[in-house]
Amino acid sequence: MAIEWYWALAQILALTGVDPDDVFDLVDAWMKGIRPVRLRTATDPATGLGSLVVCGRADDGTPLAIYARRVGRDILVYNAAYLTADQVAEFEKWEATRND
């Protein structure tokens, strides 16, 4: 399995205030098993397209979500966002109750 993302995404994320390094840190930590992540699926109600949502923390502890699609055996990252206050509360609840 390969994790792919296009460098144009880094430029777009930077314009929206998301540090591309945070995204890379989270994906790298996930793939190396360094930090736990919460995996969920989501479906766009308008298009019906399914996505994988990877919630975790960047190296500095900032919680964020990475949105990806499965393409064959690979995963294509297409967006990322810092979690909102409500999402952080939900994520921290998951962190407190997860059973490694």
Side-chain angles (χ1 to χ4, degrees), residues 2-83:
I3 305 289
E4 298 182 36
W5 65 322
Y6 299 105
W7 285 109
L9 176 62
Q11 296 170 348
I12 293 168
L13 291 174
L15 290 173
T16 63
V18 175
D19 186 341
D21 288 337
D22 286 346
V23 176
F24 180 81
D25 292 344
L26 177 55
V27 169
D28 188 54
W30 172 37
M31 297 309 312
K32 292 179 179 176
I34 295 171
R35 284 189 301 277
V37 296
R38 181 180 185 201
L39 300 174
R40 300 180 296 127
T41 58
T43 303
D44 183 328
T47 64
L49 292 174
S51 295
L52 173 66
V53 182
V54 182
C55 293
R57 293 187 181 272
D59 284 349
D60 67 359
T62 304
L64 70 146
I66 296 173
Y67 302 90
R69 292 190 55 224
R70 189 172 143 201
V71 179
R73 294 175 48 126
D74 299 334
I75 295 175
L76 173 63
V77 174
Y78 68 86
N79 197 7
Y82 293 115
L83 299 183

